[in-house]
Amino acid sequence: EAKENGYSPFTGWGEPYADLSLTFFEENETADPLKSIHEYNGKLMIAVASYDIAVSKETTTAVINAARQIEVLNVPNADHIYDAADGTDSQEARNLLVETVSNFLVNSLE
């Protein structure tokens, strides 16, 4: 569809979300994100939600192994969007994420 129209619509949850260009698809065919992560010399942080069903453990492990300087934050009781995985309205997972990322950025910019 992108080859015919120059873009392809992407929908999320059944709703129009974004039009993805042909360039997006072409660049993704040649992308090597693990190589790019390995070549990156700066500090990197990855947050891992304990109940994330959208990102595989294999993908997470590959990113961690590819990185040179990495801080890993394991967020308990968190789903893919860092809501409470147990169905409560707890903001503990999200608060931990925000606080840790904020500290990481402040410390990394020094």
Side-chain angles (χ1 to χ4, degrees), residues 12-63:
W13 299 279
E15 298 292 325
Y17 191 71
D19 289 336
L20 302 178
S21 70
L22 177 58
T23 303
F24 171 83
F25 292 103
E26 291 171 340
E27 288 177 353
N28 270 295
E29 286 181 348
T30 60
D32 188 350
L34 293 178
K35 180 182 178 195
S36 297
I37 290 169
H38 182 70
E39 291 174 351
Y40 177 67
N41 288 318
K43 296 177 184 176
L44 181 66
M45 180 182 173
I46 183 171
V48 181
S50 60
Y51 292 96
D52 190 342
I53 60 171
V55 179
S56 72
K57 299 284 186 212
E58 293 80 15
T59 298
T60 301
T61 300
V63 169

